[in-house]
């Protein structure tokens, strides 16, 4: 694969919204690579809470302390986005029980589509390994801000509250 840089990694996801588990993976991956590109995926089959620009802004706010992160939006296959970025490593955050089978299947398909792209699985810190954006959407209407802050970066808590308010109107 010409034009690739092994010191660049791409972490694709929907990040709707970004959680502390996502942030943990981003922080750790940013220490392993010279540059980490966070790809905000747009899936036309899903109805997101936040549009792509809002998700970019939330990720930007949450990762402001990391100087080697770039945030981009992409459409289509994540593995194709990785290649477009000139990277050879795709980071996948996984939850130990729920994600492994699906992620292994996707990794094998990606290997067929782009043999030069390696998938690196990273599990979030133990106390965050169960957190997902879907969980946040389930508990947010009922949880206090303090409870949500156990799962979300602080700026995201306020954005989730504002989104819930708009959904109620």
């Amino acid at each position: 694969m010409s034009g690739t840089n092994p010191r660049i990694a791409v972490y694709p996801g929907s990040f709707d919204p970004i959680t502390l588990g996502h942030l943990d993976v981003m922080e750790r991956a940013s220490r392993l690579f010279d540059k980490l590109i966070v790809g905000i995926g747009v899936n036309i089959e899903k109805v997101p809470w936040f549009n792509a620009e809002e998700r970019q802004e939330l990720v930007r706010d949450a990762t402001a302390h990391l100087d080697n992160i770039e945030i981009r939006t992409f459409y289509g296959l994540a593995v194709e986005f990785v290649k477009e970025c000139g990277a050879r490593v795709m980071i996948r955050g996984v939850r130990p029980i729920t994600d492994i089978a699906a992620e292994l299947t996707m990794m094998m398909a990606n290997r067929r589509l782009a043999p030069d792209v390696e998938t690196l699985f990273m599990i979030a810190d133990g106390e965050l390994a169960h957190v997902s954006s879907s969980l946040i959407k389930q508990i947010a209407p009922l949880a206090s801000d303090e409870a949500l802050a156990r799962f979300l970066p602080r700026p995201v808590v306020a954005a989730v509250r504002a989104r819930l308010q708009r959904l109620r109107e």
Side-chain angles (χ1 to χ4, degrees), residues 85-162:
C85 291
R88 292 179 24 199
V89 176
M90 180 186 332
I91 305 292
R92 295 298 299 160
V94 294
R95 288 171 299 237
I97 308 266
T98 59
D99 293 345
I100 297 295
E103 287 292 339
L104 287 174
T105 300
M106 186 59 65
M107 178 201 68
M108 289 184 278
N110 286 340
R111 189 170 282 161
R112 301 292 285 170
L113 295 169
D116 292 339
V117 174
E118 287 295 332
T119 301
L120 175 63
F121 294 119
M122 296 184 78
I123 297 173
D125 183 281
E127 65 188 41
L128 301 171
H130 66 288
V131 179
S132 68
S133 296
S134 298
L135 173 70
I136 298 306
K137 290 172 183 174
Q138 289 175 336
I139 68 170
L142 306 171
S144 67
D145 286 359
E146 292 74 31
L148 284 177
R150 293 184 193 125
F151 305 109
L152 299 171
R154 278 282 175 193
V156 179
V157 173
V160 165
R161 283 286 173 237

Side-chain angles (χ1 to χ4, degrees), residues 10-15 37-43 51-57 59-60 70-77 81 84-85:
V10 177
Y11 181 24
S14 61
F15 308 110
I37 299 170
V38 176
I40 308 290
V42 177
N43 183 341
N51 67 37
E53 294 76 26
E54 291 169 324
R55 287 182 275 155
Q56 268 194 323
E57 191 61 35
V59 172
R60 189 172 290 110
E70 181 180 326
I71 304 150
R72 300 183 192 174
T73 299
F74 74 95
Y75 299 82
L77 295 175
F81 175 67
E84 289 169 18
C85 291

